[in-house]
Amino acid sequence: MTVRIAVAGASGYAGGELLRLLLAHPEVEIGALTAGGNAGTALAEHQPHLLPLADRVLAATTAEVLAGHDVVFLALPHGASAEIAAQLGPDVLVVDCGADHRLESAQDWARWYGGEHAGHWPYGLPELPGGRDALRGATRVAVPGCYPTVSSLALAPAVAAGLVEDEVTVVAASGTSGAGRSSKPHLIGSEVMGSLSAYGVGGAHRHTPEITQNLSKVAGRRVAVSFTPVLAPLPRGILATCTAKLVSAQDPRAVYEKAYADEPFVHLLPEGRWPTTAAVLASNAVQLQVTVDTDLDRLVVVAAIDNLTKGTAGAAVQSMNIALGLPETLGLSTAGVAP
Amino acid sequence: MTVRIAVAGASGYAGGELLRLLLAHPEVEIGALTAGGNAGTALAEHQPHLLPLADRVLAATTAEVLAGHDVVFLALPHGASAEIAAQLGPDVLVVDCGADHRLESAQDWARWYGGEHAGHWPYGLPELPGGRDALRGATRVAVPGCYPTVSSLALAPAVAAGLVEDEVTVVAASGTSGAGRSSKPHLIGSEVMGSLSAYGVGGAHRHTPEITQNLSKVAGRRVAVSFTPVLAPLPRGILATCTAKLVSAQDPRAVYEKAYADEPFVHLLPEGRWPTTAAVLASNAVQLQVTVDTDLDRLVVVAAIDNLTKGTAGAAVQSMNIALGLPETLGLSTAGVAP
Amino acid sequence: MTVRIAVAGASGYAGGELLRLLLAHPEVEIGALTAGGNAGTALAEHQPHLLPLADRVLAATTAEVLAGHDVVFLALPHGASAEIAAQLGPDVLVVDCGADHRLESAQDWARWYGGEHAGHWPYGLPELPGGRDALRGATRVAVPGCYPTVSSLALAPAVAAGLVEDEVTVVAASGTSGAGRSSKPHLIGSEVMGSLSAYGVGGAHRHTPEITQNLSKVAGRRVAVSFTPVLAPLPRGILATCTAKLVSAQDPRAVYEKAYADEPFVHLLPEGRWPTTAAVLASNAVQLQVTVDTDLDRLVVVAAIDNLTKGTAGAAVQSMNIALGLPETLGLSTAGVAP
Amino acid sequence: MTVRIAVAGASGYAGGELLRLLLAHPEVEIGALTAGGNAGTALAEHQPHLLPLADRVLAATTAEVLAGHDVVFLALPHGASAEIAAQLGPDVLVVDCGADHRLESAQDWARWYGGEHAGHWPYGLPELPGGRDALRGATRVAVPGCYPTVSSLALAPAVAAGLVEDEVTVVAASGTSGAGRSSKPHLIGSEVMGSLSAYGVGGAHRHTPEITQNLSKVAGRRVAVSFTPVLAPLPRGILATCTAKLVSAQDPRAVYEKAYADEPFVHLLPEGRWPTTAAVLASNAVQLQVTVDTDLDRLVVVAAIDNLTKGTAGAAVQSMNIALGLPETLGLSTAGVAP
């Protein structure tokens, strides 16, 4: 089986990571590559690391160009996916790396993003309860945000098992690629190197409702999420520290072991070892560890992912594999690049 | 007035930062510089950035060498201060940058550090309620740990005013110099660059009881602290994200404005701006911001310091100034080095 | 003596470093701060590290605003200095951190920068032969470029003494702040962290004619310069590796020792120790070392500076001190910030 | 064909990168993993990024353990390879990532490394003239050093074609992993982040004779090499700037195009684009660009590699493929990881 794919938004970071992974995928043939403002330029100008595609020129992002592929990956700015997707046939698998189809609540969409809600699609986080089933045979997939991926996987077993109170705190430090290939003043190199900074504090980050949605669905009741993102001086990687008050006598480690025993990409570390983002760089793995602060009866879970791989492009490929009935791990690896 | 000072442990990071600040202090004359294993070597081998002291040779850390100074700064490994201090006259001001004399509870000391408790000294965090008075005329000062400094200043106004519940969470990301000039495998450059990692999770870090002690004293009741440190890829700087459940109708911003209105080194940022460690690099400033996550009624305070300056050596100089009756800000600056 | 100064271009990196140094200068009072597009905004939005000036608002860069100061520092884009300077009185000391008045040859200016040559001013590199005399009493000063500063100081003693052939090679790696607070795509954080890149190769960088001018004047004959800049993942600092064929039997070390014996800011390291940019961070020092590759009879000089301090703002203050007859080192330090 | 391989020195950086590549190699089965001081510990303690091998325990490095494999990769400290290799059968392919068998001259070995010369093996740089032939069917391979790889590939076409004089200069900045998993004081994170430093200056680095050997063989006459390595703040990557005086009227670009037209891993960039180490991260690619400084008639070549991949482990796998008659690019990629 050869799957012919197209990538819309191929000049950005998510698009580049998609192509890096798809180049190594044994069942994929890379078709059209499109861009917005960069249409007409060589891919190599934007993705000089993708030598096998150095000769490719970016087309404009239109339905005509994207037609005729089995899978279309959308790596577009928020708000741009729905219109394109509507023009692609219902049999084409459309995998949206943007936010447009992640939130189920139109009210949440209006509050956090503004504008009309495009509806929600099957959610590309198969490790959540029922997540895998929802993706089988799907022709539309909403890839989760990077912070929601790591935070939800870190806390889902605890809320599902009733281990903790319905209010959780997440402080997640991220590399700068999460902000995209953006030239905002606070993202230029001289500013970010050697600096840690907070942003989107006090529930102001758009990923808050997505984490809340995921954990509430898992719990079967509303889980409130205090989420603070931190910008850290590295290109890739998220380390999330998640805490919540324990309300159960169950052994947390046993709960997590059971939850992720059969997951190919989620790895609970042996006791005494802690996650680092370096260990998951460029891999689709999630590394996590759980412990209890016995002085406070508080669960602490720390989890690491690569925001561009498991946090975006890897999840997109994993979801494609599931949707198409391919082996879920095809073209993906749990071996990172270190040091 | 010229103050003749000595630095024990001059080849380490805390010692180097002390010397950098003391070189710029208008009332200080730098006397003996001592070291342990590095005794007999040139200071320039260890501190090549301190050109004005390039010709100095390190002596052994003995009471004889340290005698005859007005102030002796101790930047020694934990457990080494008490013995030296006992041999220095009661009129000498001894400023201990190590942990030996920070904890008031012998039981806490035994649990977190082990060995015999050396007792506790006036605590070098003048911005805490009553802190300044305790330092005036003191001849012994325990300089706070770097995490306790930033965490305590971030949360003290809230717990003092009864704004929040008695359980707080702190996730603080730090640069690597906080671990000292150590060559442990996880601290070598290839490992730390490009990586975020957790350590001392679940209340396992020795700074936990110190933060608890500070906040509990301020509150007048036990405050429980969930503290998670994160190692981030930068040499200096700590960014602490602190949250706690609101239990009062007071305006948090007004509480913080009032608490720090007259503090020369603690700066509450205007609304809408958030702290960065870059902005406090090499300065004695604390920059902080407060907000409320209204969905959860949760206070969020983010604060930044330079762990080596306000977090160690700057606090030591500030404490010396107060103890000796010099202007508190002498030789210290709130202007950082950026970008 | 109190010198009242103004800074035009206060929202950029050079302007910020000027202010950091001038805040610590005992004879300076900081007057007007101006900007171009940022006029009307608070300085704190652009320079959050300069807390002592947090309340300042930036004025527009006009002659009216800049009038009435003893010294005006220009930290403006290339081409903008001449017009402003012409409107400032001849008695005002104008210190130009831009390139406009560095090159003596109108032909060089036309080739490398384009447009009309604004003429040349006394050159702010006092450590070159005759350099100090040219600055005494000057009312106009052209601050050297950062690469020319470190390269010229690294090679001047060798070419002055006839140690080497008239063709030299310089490969200099620099931190990103040398490119200014620019949001060009290749300067955003995700691109520069973890990457080394070349640019301006093959004599294409505008600093090439300035290095050539300096060394040729020192030599009394044309010295050809092969200059390659490299962009490295750090905010500040330049490390220059300079080589040239030896043609003399003199002892290179003796030549350098003699050349810089009385210089307060240029430090020839003891044999066996090599410069690092970390050791000069935020200081006005130049650290250098010389050796001979005996297999090739080739001189190798390695030198380090902070591009924003000795490479720009520190040189500006040093030049001001000399021009005004103040002690040359006033407000400047050879102690860096490390680690 | 399934090749059963063993890695001696699996807990180091070269060993880890070998395993990362070999995990993705379709014809390889990973057998014994050995270590020196780390024998008996889990691989995961040292290589937490290699999740597929998380359960492996390191054996001691003995001939018994290594026996019974088709290929044995040695990633051992200098001087340790010869003894082990002698105990492995002549039919086993031994690929030595260390320096022991690189130098052809016993005199050079004695001068630069000391001790007895172990002899020289076929050299794993197939892109040099005749290099590929020397590797076909070989049972012993000496993998080149990282600096020699990038420098030789950057200059070989020029010296082979007689483009340049017989004296060349190379200044190469490298990430810290080139020094191995070493805890020397100058390699700890707080020291290397934010710093550029020189070392091994003046022909003092052990890679100098290896570059000289390579270029001299290519030229058919002695080529003198002025080589200066620079330590830069990134984990991986080397950017080499190479210059030499032009002595021929040939078009340099045409020379390089011809030399590397058929090479799968060496990529001459289109005019106007310059190499970055980010673009080759974790790939086996070499990206290079050539130009002429016409003011000096000097050739400038800039080349980038990943020191651990093409500079070590990738070259080892590439050499194995050639030696065993497998497709040369099997298991290797020219797509890097960026940003």
Side-chain angles (χ1 to χ4, degrees):
Chain A
M1 169 174 178
T2 294
V3 180
R4 190 163 163 79
I5 69 93
V7 174
S11 61
Y13 288 156
E17 183 72 352
L18 276 165
L19 291 170
R20 183 180 77 82
L21 296 175
L22 293 166
L23 279 166
H25 194 292
E27 303 291 348
V28 157
E29 180 189 318
I30 296 175
L33 307 182
T34 77
N38 293 323
T41 63
L43 181 71
E45 286 182 36
H46 314 286
Q47 315 284 15
H49 61 298
L50 299 177
L51 281 187
L53 301 170
D55 295 334
R56 293 294 193 91
V57 173
L58 296 166
T61 302
T62 65
E64 290 68 38
V65 171
L66 298 173
H69 296 83
D70 303 309
V71 184
V72 175
F73 292 95
L74 303 179
L76 303 172
H78 299 318
S81 299
E83 192 185 336
I84 279 287
Q87 303 175 59
L88 299 171
D91 296 342
V92 178
L93 171 56
V94 181
V95 181
D96 185 5
C97 296
D100 297 24
H101 305 90
R102 292 174 191 159
L103 295 183
E104 302 187 1
S105 153
Q107 193 178 339
D108 277 354
W109 177 266
R111 173 180 170 196
W112 295 92
Y113 291 90
E116 199 182 350
H117 187 217
H120 68 96
W121 289 355
Y123 191 69
L125 195 50
E127 294 88 354
L128 290 187
R132 199 162 272 116
D133 288 339
L135 292 169
R136 288 206 182 94
T139 59
R140 295 291 185 270
V141 173
V143 177
C146 51
Y147 287 121
T149 295
V150 66
S151 308
S152 302
L153 294 176
L155 286 166
V159 301
L163 271 185
V164 294
E165 279 186 357
D166 291 344
E167 179 165 327
V168 301
T169 70
V170 176
V171 178
S174 172
T176 55
S177 62
R181 197 193 290 276
S182 160
S183 51
K184 290 181 190 155
H186 75 286
L187 292 173
I188 65 178
S190 301
E191 302 293 316
V192 299
M193 288 185 289
S195 191
L196 292 160
S197 54
Y199 69 106
V201 185
H205 193 285
R206 287 168 163 181
H207 284 175
T208 304
E210 192 180 341
I211 307 171
T212 303
Q213 170 180 292
N214 291 348
L215 295 180
S216 298
K217 283 182 76 168
V218 166
R221 62 191 180 279
R222 176 160 181 95
V223 174
V225 179
S226 164
F227 171 55
T228 307
V230 169
L231 192 67
L234 68 171
R236 290 177 176 229
I238 301 182
L239 189 85
T241 301
C242 310
T243 75
K245 197 82 177 171
L246 277 177
V247 292
S248 157
Q250 299 170 77
D251 172 28
R253 187 165 185 89
V255 168
Y256 277 76
E257 276 173 352
K258 187 176 167 200
Y260 293 132
D262 298 326
E263 287 299 335
F265 295 115
V266 185
H267 183 76
L268 179 65
L269 289 165
E271 290 187 67
R273 298 220 345 259
W274 289 90
T276 73
T277 62
V280 296
L281 182 72
S283 94
N284 207 50
V286 184
Q287 293 202 9
L288 53 80
Q289 182 58 287
V290 296
T291 195
V292 172
D293 186 334
T294 50
D295 284 3
L296 288 84
D297 267 337
R298 203 165 178 99
L299 179 75
V300 187
V301 186
V302 179
I305 63 165
D306 184 319
N307 56 297
L308 286 181
T309 319
K310 180 58 179 167
T312 307
V317 173
Q318 184 182 356
S319 298
M320 174 194 79
N321 286 343
I322 297 170
L324 299 181
L326 294 167
E328 184 173 334
T329 61
L330 212 61
L332 297 169
S333 173
T334 58
V337 174
Chain B
M1 168 174 178
T2 294
V3 180
R4 191 164 162 79
I5 68 94
V7 174
S11 61
Y13 288 157
E17 183 72 352
L18 276 167
L19 291 170
R20 184 181 74 84
L21 295 174
L22 293 167
L23 278 166
H25 194 293
E27 304 290 347
V28 157
E29 182 189 316
I30 297 175
L33 307 182
T34 77
N38 292 323
T41 63
L43 181 71
E45 284 183 37
H46 315 284
Q47 316 284 15
H49 61 299
L50 299 177
L51 281 187
L53 300 171
D55 295 335
R56 293 294 193 91
V57 174
L58 296 166
T61 301
T62 64
E64 290 68 37
V65 170
L66 297 173
H69 297 81
D70 303 308
V71 184
V72 175
F73 292 95
L74 302 179
L76 303 172
H78 298 319
S81 298
E83 190 185 338
I84 280 288
Q87 302 176 58
L88 298 170
D91 296 340
V92 177
L93 172 57
V94 181
V95 181
D96 184 5
C97 295
D100 296 24
H101 304 92
R102 292 175 190 158
L103 295 183
E104 301 187 2
S105 151
Q107 192 178 341
D108 277 353
W109 178 265
R111 173 178 170 197
W112 295 92
Y113 291 89
E116 198 181 353
H117 187 218
H120 68 97
W121 288 355
Y123 190 69
L125 196 51
E127 294 88 353
L128 290 187
R132 199 162 272 116
D133 289 340
L135 293 169
R136 289 206 180 93
T139 57
R140 294 292 186 272
V141 174
V143 177
C146 50
Y147 287 121
T149 294
V150 67
S151 307
S152 302
L153 293 177
L155 286 166
V159 301
L163 272 184
V164 294
E165 279 185 356
D166 291 343
E167 178 164 327
V168 300
T169 70
V170 176
V171 177
S174 173
T176 53
S177 62
R181 197 193 290 274
S182 159
S183 52
K184 290 179 189 156
H186 75 287
L187 293 174
I188 67 177
S190 302
E191 301 292 316
V192 297
M193 288 185 289
S195 191
L196 292 159
S197 55
Y199 68 105
V201 186
H205 193 285
R206 288 170 165 180
H207 283 177
T208 303
E210 191 180 341
I211 306 171
T212 303
Q213 170 180 292
N214 291 346
L215 295 179
S216 298
K217 284 182 75 168
V218 165
R221 62 193 178 277
R222 175 157 181 97
V223 174
V225 179
S226 164
F227 171 58
T228 309
V230 169
L231 193 68
L234 66 170
R236 290 177 176 228
I238 301 182
L239 189 84
T241 301
C242 310
T243 75
K245 198 81 176 174
L246 276 177
V247 292
S248 157
Q250 299 171 77
D251 173 28
R253 186 163 185 88
V255 167
Y256 277 76
E257 276 173 353
K258 188 176 164 199
Y260 293 133
D262 298 325
E263 286 299 336
F265 294 115
V266 184
H267 182 77
L268 179 66
L269 288 165
E271 291 186 66
R273 299 219 349 257
W274 289 91
T276 72
T277 61
V280 296
L281 181 73
S283 92
N284 206 49
V286 183
Q287 294 201 10
L288 52 81
Q289 181 58 286
V290 295
T291 195
V292 172
D293 187 334
T294 51
D295 283 4
L296 288 83
D297 267 337
R298 202 165 177 98
L299 179 75
V300 186
V301 187
V302 179
I305 62 164
D306 183 319
N307 56 298
L308 286 181
T309 318
K310 180 58 180 166
T312 307
V317 172
Q318 183 182 356
S319 297
M320 173 193 80
N321 286 342
I322 297 171
L324 298 181
L326 294 167
E328 184 173 335
T329 61
L330 210 61
L332 297 170
S333 174
T334 58
V337 173
Chain C
M1 169 173 178
T2 294
V3 180
R4 190 164 161 80
I5 68 94
V7 173
S11 61
Y13 288 157
E17 183 72 353
L18 276 166
L19 290 171
R20 184 181 74 84
L21 296 174
L22 292 167
L23 278 167
H25 193 292
E27 304 290 347
V28 157
E29 181 189 318
I30 296 175
L33 307 183
T34 78
N38 292 324
T41 63
L43 181 70
E45 285 183 35
H46 314 285
Q47 316 284 13
H49 60 299
L50 299 178
L51 281 188
L53 300 170
D55 294 335
R56 293 295 193 92
V57 174
L58 295 166
T61 302
T62 64
E64 288 69 37
V65 170
L66 298 173
H69 297 84
D70 303 310
V71 184
V72 174
F73 292 95
L74 303 179
L76 303 172
H78 298 319
S81 300
E83 191 184 335
I84 279 287
Q87 301 175 60
L88 298 171
D91 296 341
V92 176
L93 172 55
V94 181
V95 181
D96 185 5
C97 295
D100 296 24
H101 303 93
R102 292 174 190 159
L103 295 183
E104 301 187 1
S105 154
Q107 195 179 337
D108 277 354
W109 178 265
R111 174 179 170 198
W112 295 91
Y113 290 89
E116 198 181 351
H117 186 216
H120 69 96
W121 288 354
Y123 190 70
L125 196 50
E127 293 87 355
L128 290 186
R132 200 160 271 116
D133 289 341
L135 292 169
R136 288 205 182 94
T139 58
R140 294 292 184 271
V141 173
V143 177
C146 52
Y147 287 121
T149 295
V150 66
S151 307
S152 302
L153 294 176
L155 286 166
V159 301
L163 271 184
V164 293
E165 278 185 358
D166 292 343
E167 180 165 326
V168 300
T169 71
V170 176
V171 177
S174 173
T176 54
S177 62
R181 196 194 291 274
S182 161
S183 52
K184 290 179 189 157
H186 75 286
L187 293 174
I188 65 178
S190 301
E191 301 292 316
V192 298
M193 287 185 290
S195 190
L196 292 160
S197 55
Y199 68 106
V201 186
H205 193 285
R206 287 168 164 180
H207 284 176
T208 304
E210 192 181 339
I211 307 171
T212 305
Q213 170 180 292
N214 291 347
L215 295 180
S216 298
K217 282 182 76 168
V218 165
R221 60 193 181 278
R222 176 160 181 93
V223 175
V225 178
S226 164
F227 171 58
T228 308
V230 169
L231 193 67
L234 67 171
R236 292 179 175 225
I238 301 181
L239 189 85
T241 302
C242 311
T243 75
K245 198 81 178 173
L246 276 177
V247 292
S248 157
Q250 300 170 76
D251 172 28
R253 188 166 183 86
V255 167
Y256 276 76
E257 276 173 351
K258 189 175 164 200
Y260 292 132
D262 299 326
E263 286 299 337
F265 294 115
V266 185
H267 183 76
L268 179 65
L269 288 164
E271 290 186 67
R273 299 223 343 259
W274 289 91
T276 73
T277 61
V280 297
L281 182 73
S283 93
N284 206 49
V286 184
Q287 295 202 10
L288 52 79
Q289 182 57 287
V290 296
T291 194
V292 172
D293 186 333
T294 51
D295 284 3
L296 288 83
D297 267 338
R298 204 165 177 97
L299 179 74
V300 186
V301 187
V302 179
I305 63 165
D306 184 319
N307 56 297
L308 285 181
T309 319
K310 180 58 179 168
T312 307
V317 172
Q318 184 183 356
S319 296
M320 174 193 78
N321 286 343
I322 298 171
L324 299 181
L326 295 166
E328 184 172 336
T329 60
L330 211 62
L332 298 169
S333 173
T334 58
V337 174
Chain D
M1 168 174 179
T2 293
V3 181
R4 190 165 161 78
I5 67 94
V7 174
S11 61
Y13 288 156
E17 183 72 352
L18 277 165
L19 290 171
R20 183 181 74 84
L21 296 174
L22 293 166
L23 278 167
H25 194 293
E27 303 290 348
V28 157
E29 181 189 316
I30 296 175
L33 307 182
T34 77
N38 293 323
T41 63
L43 181 69
E45 285 182 36
H46 315 285
Q47 317 284 15
H49 62 299
L50 299 177
L51 281 187
L53 301 170
D55 294 335
R56 293 295 194 89
V57 174
L58 296 166
T61 302
T62 64
E64 290 67 36
V65 171
L66 298 172
H69 297 82
D70 303 308
V71 184
V72 175
F73 292 95
L74 303 179
L76 303 172
H78 299 318
S81 300
E83 190 184 338
I84 279 287
Q87 302 175 60
L88 299 171
D91 296 340
V92 177
L93 171 56
V94 181
V95 182
D96 184 5
C97 295
D100 296 23
H101 304 92
R102 292 175 191 160
L103 295 183
E104 301 186 2
S105 153
Q107 193 178 340
D108 277 353
W109 178 266
R111 174 179 169 197
W112 295 92
Y113 292 88
E116 197 180 352
H117 187 215
H120 69 96
W121 288 355
Y123 190 70
L125 196 51
E127 294 87 353
L128 290 187
R132 198 161 273 115
D133 289 340
L135 293 169
R136 290 206 180 91
T139 57
R140 294 292 185 271
V141 173
V143 177
C146 51
Y147 287 120
T149 295
V150 67
S151 307
S152 301
L153 293 176
L155 286 166
V159 301
L163 271 185
V164 295
E165 279 185 356
D166 293 344
E167 179 164 327
V168 301
T169 70
V170 176
V171 177
S174 172
T176 54
S177 62
R181 197 193 291 273
S182 159
S183 53
K184 289 178 190 158
H186 75 287
L187 293 174
I188 66 176
S190 302
E191 302 292 315
V192 299
M193 288 186 289
S195 191
L196 292 159
S197 55
Y199 68 104
V201 186
H205 193 284
R206 287 168 164 182
H207 284 176
T208 304
E210 191 180 342
I211 307 170
T212 303
Q213 171 180 293
N214 290 348
L215 295 179
S216 298
K217 283 183 77 167
V218 166
R221 61 192 181 279
R222 175 159 182 94
V223 175
V225 178
S226 163
F227 170 58
T228 309
V230 169
L231 192 68
L234 66 172
R236 290 178 175 229
I238 302 182
L239 189 85
T241 301
C242 310
T243 76
K245 197 81 178 174
L246 276 177
V247 292
S248 156
Q250 299 170 78
D251 172 28
R253 185 163 187 88
V255 168
Y256 276 77
E257 276 173 354
K258 189 176 165 198
Y260 292 131
D262 299 326
E263 287 299 337
F265 294 116
V266 185
H267 183 75
L268 179 64
L269 288 165
E271 291 186 66
R273 297 220 348 257
W274 290 90
T276 73
T277 61
V280 296
L281 182 73
S283 94
N284 206 48
V286 184
Q287 294 202 9
L288 52 80
Q289 181 59 285
V290 296
T291 195
V292 172
D293 185 334
T294 51
D295 284 3
L296 288 83
D297 268 338
R298 201 163 180 102
L299 180 76
V300 186
V301 187
V302 179
I305 63 165
D306 183 318
N307 55 297
L308 286 181
T309 320
K310 180 58 178 166
T312 306
V317 172
Q318 185 182 356
S319 297
M320 173 193 79
N321 286 342
I322 298 171
L324 298 181
L326 294 166
E328 184 173 334
T329 61
L330 212 60
L332 297 169
S333 173
T334 59
V337 174

